[in-house]
């Protein structure tokens, strides 16, 4: 008997041009991924059926398999750290962090927690 894998749930922090241009089309054509939660700083309406959350803390608290961090560069380290501490796999938009020291810390944390951590670069 062949088992159909369950879909991986994805939460997105920073819903803007990068999400619309790169991440959304890519994820929506892959049957194993489902964008279930969105977190954005503005209250502007957005055409996507995912649940809206009001803060990154709330996003990390959701039962997600993966969090995409598509926010301004200076927020990448702290948000990725928080997501990893919350037990979430993480993909961070480039640049990964603003320093190599921050990058090393995140890589060690992901390894210690046996989580996937990657940087997105198209």
């Amino acid at each position: 008997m062949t088992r159909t894998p369950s879909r991986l749930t994805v939460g997105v922090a920073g819903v803007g041009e990068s999400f619309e241009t790169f991440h959304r089309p890519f994820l929506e054509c892959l049957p194993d991924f489902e964008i279930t939660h969105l977190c954005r700083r503005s209250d502007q309406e957005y055409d996507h059926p995912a649940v809206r959350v009001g803060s990154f803390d709330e996003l990390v608290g959701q039962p997600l398999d993966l969090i995409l961090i598509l926010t301004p560069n200076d927020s990448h380290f702290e948000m990725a750290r928080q997501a990893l501490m919350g037990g979430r796999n993480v993909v961070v938009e480039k640049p990964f962090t603003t320093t190599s020291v921050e990058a090393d810390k995140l890589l060690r944390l992901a390894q210690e927690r046996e989580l996937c951590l990657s940087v997105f670069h198209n």
Side-chain angles (χ1 to χ4, degrees), residues 7-13 23 26-27 30 32-38 56 59-60 62-69 83-84 87-92 115-119:
R7 296 180 86 185
L8 297 175
T9 55
V10 179
V12 180
H23 301 278
F26 180 69
L27 289 170
L30 297 172
D32 295 336
F33 291 85
E34 180 180 7
I35 301 166
T36 60
H37 292 77
L38 301 175
F56 189 70
L59 185 68
V60 172
Q62 301 303 313
L64 298 166
D65 297 304
L66 172 66
I67 292 180
L68 298 181
I69 299 174
L84 291 167
R88 304 294 174 260
N89 298 295
V90 177
V91 172
V92 182
L115 295 166
C116 292
L117 172 65
S118 183
V119 61

Side-chain angles (χ1 to χ4, degrees), residues 16-42:
E17 185 177 343
S18 177
F19 174 69
E20 190 62 39
T21 303
F22 303 111
H23 301 278
R24 181 179 181 173
F26 180 69
L27 289 170
E28 287 182 346
C29 76
L30 297 172
D32 295 336
F33 291 85
E34 180 180 7
I35 301 166
T36 60
H37 292 77
L38 301 175
C39 178
R40 68 183 305 182
R41 290 182 288 171
S42 74

